[in-house]
C-alpha cells in the first residue's frame, strides 16, 4: 500500500511517501527550489519521495492532501459576511485568487499530478483531510504511544485554531475545538508583525528575543487582548486586530495600546520591543499550560502529543514538560504545515482505510532523517564539477579531522546522510562549533549566518551526558524543548554584569558553554542517541575526548533567508560564501584555505531576508 501525502498552496509545501504504514521519505519543496517556505505544488519533493520508494506516481494507491479547500473558502466567506462592510478592500483582493486558484484546488492537484505521470482516474485516488486532523495524525500516529491526549495549536486551518483530541490505537477523536478568529498562533503572529518581523517566518525570532526583556505588558495582554480561562478556552478581543478584515495583523487601537506604530524591519530593536516579546511569550506559555491541564483532565491520560505551528515554541514546550501534567510528551518535529503532509498520509492509512499501526519501539519519524542522501562517489563527482578541492578519508579519519577543527575554534559545515524533515537541523545538515568559545555566538551570527547578533544557538549533546549538563527530563531528539543549564556549569555574574540590560547582556558570560547558553540560562536542546545518528554521535564523542565537553554548537547549514542546504552543491556554495573554516560532506573533507579563491563570494545578500 503506497500513500503519497501532500501539503501545499499556503506555507511550507511538502510531500511524503508511506509504504504499508511506514514513513519512507519526506521533504519540503523549499529544499529543492531554494525558495524559503515555498508554498507551491511540491513537484520536486514528490519526485524525490517516489524515487526513494522506487515507484512511479501511477503505482500510488492514494494521494492525501492536508486540508479541505472548500471549508477554508467557507470560512473566508463567512468571515467577510460577519464583518461587512469592514474588510471590503481585503475581500476584493482575496476573491480573485481564491476563485482562480484555491477554490479549485482539486482540479489543480489533479492536473499537476497528471503532469507527473499519475495515470488515469487520479481524481478518484485523491483524499482530503481536515487541517487539524492532519496535524493531530502527524503527532499521534507518528508517536511511540498507543494512547495519548493530542493538542494541536496553530494559526488557523479551515475553522479550527486549537483542538484537543484523544488518540487510541488507529483512531483519533476530537473532543474540543476553538474556532477562528480566536487563535494563539494569530495572536503570536500579531506581535511578530508589530515588532518588525515577518509573519509565518519570524516567530522564532520573537521567541529568541523574549529573554532579553521583562514581561511588562503581560497583564495588559491578558486584560485587553485575550480572555484566557482556567480550562484553556480563550477568546481574543477582535477590536485590536485587523487580520479578519484588513491587510495587516494589527490596527490603530493595538498600536495605541502599546505606545506606537509597528517597528519597521530595518529599525533598531529597543528595550520596549524586547519587553513586548517577553510579554507575549509569557502569555503564550500561560495558554499552553492551561490547555495542557485541560487535555490531561479531559483525557485522563498521562501522555501527550503536540503539533501545529505553536508546538514549535520550544520554551512553552519545555515548561509544559516540566509541569508534571504528563509523564511523557512527544512533539512532531515537522509540527507546522510541512508535517501536514505526513499527517494526511497517516490519517488516510489508519482512519480512512482502518489499517492498524505497526508495532515499533520508537516513533515513526526515524530521527526526522527522511530526505535525500548522497554516496561518496556522488559527492566526489559533484564537488569536482563545482571546482572544490577536497580529500576523501576513511570515516574515522574524517571524524578526527572534524573534531580537531572544532576543538581548534573552527566553524565546520557537517553534511551527512539523509536530510532532515522539518525546520531543525539535527546533525545531518548542520554548522557546528565549539560551545565553550565566548565569541562563537557572535561570530557565527554575524560572519557565517549573516543574521541578528541576539539569536541563540542550540547544543547537540551526547544523550548519555545530557543530564550532567542540563536540567532535562528524558530525551529531546528533535530540538523542541528548552532546558536550563545545570548550576554546576553556570557562572556567577558580577554586580556590574547583573545590572546589564537588553543586548548588553550578551557580553556577560553565563556558563562554561557560553555559545549555546541564552541570556536567561536556558538552551534549546538536542540529545544525540548513538542508535539514531551514529556518525554524529561519534563526532561529538571524539570532541569530548579532545576537550572534555560532550556537546557542540549546532545550527542549520544555511545563511539568513536560505533554506537548509539539500545537495553537495548547495553546501559548497554556502561554504564558499561564508566564513566557515571547514566542511565535511560524507567522507570528503574540505578546508577553506585549500579552495580556489576565485570561487569565494559574499553570501550575505544571496537570499531575501526572512
Amino acid at each position: 500500500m503506497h500513500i503519497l501525502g501532500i501539503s501545499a498552496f499556503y506555507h511550507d509545501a511538502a510531500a511524503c511517501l508511506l509504504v504499508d504504514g511506514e514513513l519512507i521519505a519526506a521533504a519540503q519543496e523549499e529544499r529543492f527550489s531554494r525558495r524559503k517556505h515555498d508554498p507551491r505544488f511540491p513537484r520536486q519533493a514528490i519526485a524525490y519521495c517516489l524515487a526513494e520508494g522506487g515507484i512511479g506516481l501511477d503505482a500510488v494507491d492514494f494521494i492525501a492532501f492536508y486540508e479541505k479547500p472548500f471549508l477554508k473558502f467557507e470560512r473566508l466567506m463567512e468571515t467577510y459576511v460577519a464583518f461587512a462592510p469592514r474588510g471590503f478592500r481585503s475581500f476584493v483582493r482575496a476573491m480573485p485568487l481564491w476563485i482562480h486558484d484555491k477554490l479549485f484546488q482539486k482540479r489543480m492537484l489533479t492536473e499537476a499530478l497528471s503532469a507527473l505521470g499519475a495515470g488515469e482516474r487520479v481524481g478518484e485516488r485523491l483524499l482530503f483531510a481536515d487541517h487539524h486532523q492532519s496535524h493531530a495524525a502527524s503527532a499521534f500516529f507518528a508517536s511511540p504511544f498507543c494512547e495519548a491526549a493530542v493538542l494541536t495549536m496553530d494559526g488557523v486551518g479551515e475553522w479550527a485554531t486549537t483542538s484537543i483530541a484523544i488518540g487510541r490505537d488507529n483512531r483519533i477523536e476530537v473532543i474540543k475545538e476553538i474556532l477562528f478568529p480566536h487563535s494563539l498562533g494569530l495572536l503570536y503572529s500579531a506581535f511578530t508583525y508589530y515588532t518588525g518581523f515577518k509573519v509565518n517566518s519570524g516567530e522564532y525570532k520573537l521567541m529568541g528575543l523574549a529573554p532579553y526583556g521583562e514581561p511588562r505588558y503581560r497583564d495588559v495582554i491578558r486584560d485587553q487582548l485575550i480572555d484566557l480561562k482556567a480550562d484553556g478556552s480563550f477568546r481574543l478581543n477582535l477590536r485590536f486586530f485587523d487580520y479578519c478584515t484588513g491587510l495587516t495583523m494589527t490596527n490603530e487601537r493595538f498600536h495605541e495600546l502599546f505606545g506606537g506604530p509597528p517597528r519597521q524591519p530595518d529599525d533598531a530593536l529597543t528595550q520596549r520591543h524586547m519587553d513586548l516579546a517577553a510579554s507575549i511569550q509569557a502569555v503564550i506559555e500561560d495558554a499552553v499550560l492551561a490547555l495542557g491541564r485541560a487535555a490531561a483532565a479531559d483525557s485522563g491520560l498521562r501522555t501527550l502529543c503536540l503539533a501545529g505551528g505553536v508546538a514549535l515554541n520550544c520554551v512553552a514546550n519545555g515548561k509544559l514538560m516540566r509541569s508534571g501534567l504528563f509523564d511523557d510528551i512527544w512533539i512532531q518535529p515537522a509540527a507546522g504545515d510541512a508535517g501536514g503532509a505526513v499527517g494526511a498520509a497517516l490519517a488516510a492509512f489508519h482512519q480512512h482505510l482502518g489499517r492498524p499501526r505497526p508495532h515499533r519501539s520508537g516513533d515513526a519519524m526515524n530521527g526526522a532523517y527522511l530526505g535525500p542522501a548522497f554516496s561518496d562517489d556522488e559527492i566526489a563527482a559533484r564537488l569536482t564539477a563545482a571546482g572544490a578541492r577536497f580529500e576523501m578519508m576513511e570515516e574515522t579519519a574524517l571524524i578526527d579531522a572534524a573534531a580537531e577543527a572544532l576543538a581548534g575554534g573552527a566553524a565546520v559545515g557537517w553534511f551527512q546522510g539523509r536530510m532532515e524533515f522539518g525546520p531543525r537541523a539535527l546533525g545531518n545538515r548542520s554548522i557546528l562549533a565549539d560551545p565553550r568559545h565566548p565569541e562563537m555566538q557572535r561570530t557565527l551570527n554575524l560572519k557565517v549566518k549573516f543574521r541578528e547578533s541576539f539569536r541563540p544557538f542550540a547544543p547537540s549533546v551526547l544523550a548519555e551526558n545530557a543530564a550532567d549538563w542540563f536540567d532535562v527530563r528524558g530525551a529531546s531528539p528533535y530540538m523542541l524543548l528548552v532546558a536550563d543549564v545545570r548550576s554546576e556549569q553556570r557562572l556567577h555574574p558580577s554586580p556590574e554584569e547583573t545590572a546589564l540590560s537588553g543586548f548588553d547582556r550578551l557580553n556577560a558570560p553565563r556558563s562554561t558553554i557560553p555559545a549555546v547558553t541564552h541570556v536567561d540560562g536556558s538552551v534549546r536542546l538536542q540529545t544525540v542517541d548513538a542508535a539514531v545518528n551514529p556518525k554524529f554521535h561519534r563526532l561529538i564523542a571524539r570532541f569530548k575526548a579532545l576537550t572534555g565537553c560532550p556537546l557542540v554548537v549546532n545550527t542549520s547549514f544555511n545563511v539568513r533567508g536560505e533554506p537548509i542546504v539539500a545537495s553537495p552543491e548547495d553546501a559548497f556554495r554556502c561554504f564558499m560564501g561564508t566564513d566557515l573554516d571547514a566542511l565535511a560532506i560524507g567522507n570528503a573533507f574540505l578546508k577553506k584555505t585549500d579552495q580556489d579563491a576565485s570561487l569565494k563570494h559574499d553570501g550575505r545578500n544571496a537570499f531575501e531576508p526572512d
Side-chain angles (χ1 to χ4, degrees), residues 12-133:
D12 285 330
C16 76
L17 182 65
L18 211 64
V19 179
D20 294 332
E22 295 288 353
L23 190 56
I24 301 301
Q28 295 111 293
E29 185 69 5
E30 66 164 20
R31 306 294 169 84
F32 306 97
S33 69
R34 311 310 298 157
R35 174 178 166 182
K36 197 162 187 179
H37 303 305
D38 195 340
R40 296 172 296 179
F41 178 77
R43 187 180 314 276
Q44 296 176 86
I46 290 171
Y48 154 68
C49 290
L50 295 174
E52 191 68 38
I55 61 169
L57 193 52
D58 58 337
V60 172
D61 297 285
F62 292 98
I63 301 160
F65 191 67
Y66 82 126
E67 63 183 10
K68 294 183 176 180
F70 274 102
L71 288 181
K72 209 164 189 177
F73 181 72
E74 174 190 88
R75 188 250 300 166
L76 184 73
M77 289 297 297
E78 289 195 19
T79 300
Y80 282 127
V81 169
F83 285 90
R86 285 195 298 143
F88 181 74
R89 186 161 55 111
S90 174
F91 176 81
V92 168
R93 286 187 58 170
M95 276 306 100
L97 176 66
W98 267 95
I99 292 171
H100 183 262
D101 292 336
K102 298 181 183 285
L103 185 56
F104 300 104
Q105 279 180 4
K106 182 175 182 179
R107 185 188 68 191
M108 292 172 62
L109 285 166
T110 299
E111 291 173 352
L113 291 164
S114 295
L116 290 179
E120 297 180 358
R121 301 191 305 278
V122 61
E124 297 175 14
R125 292 182 281 154
L126 268 175
L127 301 172
F128 294 84
D130 287 329
H131 187 96
H132 267 231
Q133 180 188 21

Side-chain angles (χ1 to χ4, degrees), residues 29-38 556-566 570 574 607:
E29 185 69 5
E30 66 164 20
R31 306 294 169 84
F32 306 97
S33 69
R34 311 310 298 157
R35 174 178 166 182
K36 197 162 187 179
H37 303 305
D38 195 340
S556 56
F557 198 158
N558 58 350
V559 296
R560 183 183 181 187
E562 179 187 16
I564 294 173
V565 298
D570 296 335
C574 189
F607 295 87

Side-chain angles (χ1 to χ4, degrees), residues 401-403 405-406 410-414 430-433 444 557 580-584 589:
L406 291 169
V412 178
W414 184 252
S430 294
I431 291 171
L432 309 177
L444 288 178
F557 198 158
L580 280 172
D581 301 296
L583 172 60
F589 193 72

Side-chain angles (χ1 to χ4, degrees), residues 146-213:
C146 294
E147 61 178 10
V150 186
L151 177 57
T152 299
M153 304 166 289
D154 64 0
V156 62
E158 294 88 2
W159 277 104
T161 68
T162 308
S163 61
I164 296 174
I166 296 176
R168 286 193 172 93
D169 298 324
N170 66 342
R171 310 299 298 173
I172 296 173
E173 179 188 1
V174 176
I175 56 175
K176 282 186 177 178
E177 287 185 329
I178 297 173
L179 305 182
F180 180 87
H182 307 287
S183 164
L184 295 180
L186 292 175
L187 175 64
Y188 204 77
S189 290
F191 280 85
T192 301
Y193 165 81
Y194 186 65
T195 50
F197 302 120
K198 188 180 290 186
V199 172
N200 288 331
S201 176
E203 282 78 7
Y204 60 95
K205 297 183 185 181
L206 189 67
M207 182 176 64
L209 186 64
Y212 294 93

Side-chain angles (χ1 to χ4, degrees), residues 524-543:
R524 176 165 51 90
L525 184 67
Q526 182 198 8
T527 53
V528 180
D529 191 311
V532 177
N533 195 331
K535 193 169 186 178
F536 192 35
H537 188 277
R538 285 188 65 196
L539 173 69
I540 302 173
R542 180 60 183 149
F543 180 76

Side-chain angles (χ1 to χ4, degrees), residues 244-267:
C244 288
T245 61
L247 302 175
T248 59
M249 294 299 297
T250 59
N251 60 24
E252 290 303 322
R253 287 193 188 93
F254 189 104
H255 308 161
E256 183 178 347
L257 183 65
F258 294 108
R263 169 182 167 265
Q264 295 304 303
D266 293 331
D267 291 348

Side-chain angles (χ1 to χ4, degrees), residues 255-594:
H255 308 161
E256 183 178 347
L257 183 65
F258 294 108
R263 169 182 167 265
Q264 295 304 303
D266 293 331
D267 291 348
L269 285 161
T270 68
Q271 188 63 52
R272 172 172 157 269
H273 299 119
M274 300 173 203
D275 293 343
L276 285 164
S279 301
I280 186 58
Q281 178 63 35
V283 171
I284 290 297
E285 291 165 15
D286 292 343
V288 170
L289 285 170
L291 286 163
R293 284 191 291 271
D298 292 341
S299 69
L301 299 174
R302 297 289 299 175
T303 48
L304 176 70
C305 299
L306 293 175
V310 177
L312 293 172
N313 193 307
C314 52
V315 181
N317 294 344
K319 293 199 171 182
L320 187 56
M321 176 69 86
R322 293 189 295 275
S323 70
L325 289 165
F326 298 95
D327 297 329
D328 203 357
I329 296 175
W330 191 85
I331 308 160
Q332 166 56 243
D337 277 8
V342 170
L346 289 168
F349 186 76
H350 296 301
Q351 300 223 158
H352 179 73
L353 298 173
R355 300 295 180 89
R357 295 171 70 192
H359 295 288
R360 58 173 68 93
S361 57
D363 66 46
M365 294 301 293
N366 300 306
Y369 306 117
L370 295 163
F374 300 86
S375 69
D376 279 343
D377 287 344
E378 287 180 290
I379 290 166
R382 286 167 177 254
L383 288 177
T384 299
R389 296 169 181 169
F390 58 94
E391 180 183 357
M392 297 301 298
M393 299 178 171
E394 294 297 324
E395 183 172 299
T396 298
L398 177 108
I399 288 172
D400 286 345
E404 288 165 8
L406 291 169
V412 178
W414 184 252
F415 183 111
Q416 304 294 328
R418 297 185 71 178
M419 180 176 68
E420 299 92 336
F421 181 57
R424 309 291 187 220
L426 300 170
N428 280 10
R429 301 291 186 273
S430 294
I431 291 171
L432 309 177
D434 185 344
R436 303 168 303 155
H437 198 297
E439 291 297 318
M440 189 59 71
Q441 178 185 4
R442 186 180 299 274
T443 298
L444 288 178
N445 271 325
L446 298 182
K447 295 185 178 182
V448 177
K449 301 285 283 189
F450 304 131
R451 67 185 197 180
E452 302 90 346
S453 62
F454 71 83
R455 301 271 295 279
F457 290 107
S460 293
V461 61
L462 299 176
E464 57 269 30
N465 295 132
D468 300 329
W469 288 72
F470 307 104
D471 291 322
V472 60
R473 282 182 54 198
S476 178
Y478 298 123
M479 209 182 283
L480 286 170
L481 293 169
V482 160
D484 289 332
V485 177
R486 286 184 65 89
S487 58
E488 305 94 284
Q489 304 299 336
R490 300 283 285 271
L491 301 178
H492 299 291
S494 66
E496 293 79 13
E497 290 169 339
T498 302
L500 294 173
S501 62
F503 293 151
D504 290 338
R505 296 170 66 190
L506 276 170
N507 300 319
R510 299 172 293 279
S511 76
T512 60
I513 44 173
V516 295
T517 306
H518 212 356
V519 292
D520 60 354
S522 69
V523 299
R524 176 165 51 90
L525 184 67
Q526 182 198 8
T527 53
V528 180
D529 191 311
V532 177
N533 195 331
K535 193 169 186 178
F536 192 35
H537 188 277
R538 285 188 65 196
L539 173 69
I540 302 173
R542 180 60 183 149
F543 180 76
K544 177 188 177 184
L546 293 172
T547 66
C549 180
L551 60 134
V552 294
V553 177
N554 178 8
T555 186
S556 56
F557 198 158
N558 58 350
V559 296
R560 183 183 181 187
E562 179 187 16
I564 294 173
V565 298
S567 68
E569 293 90 340
D570 296 335
F572 182 65
R573 278 193 299 270
C574 189
F575 175 60
M576 296 303 292
T578 66
D579 281 354
L580 280 172
D581 301 296
L583 172 60
I585 305 185
N587 288 321
F589 193 72
L590 297 79
K591 297 178 181 178
K592 180 64 69 62
T593 53
D594 293 341

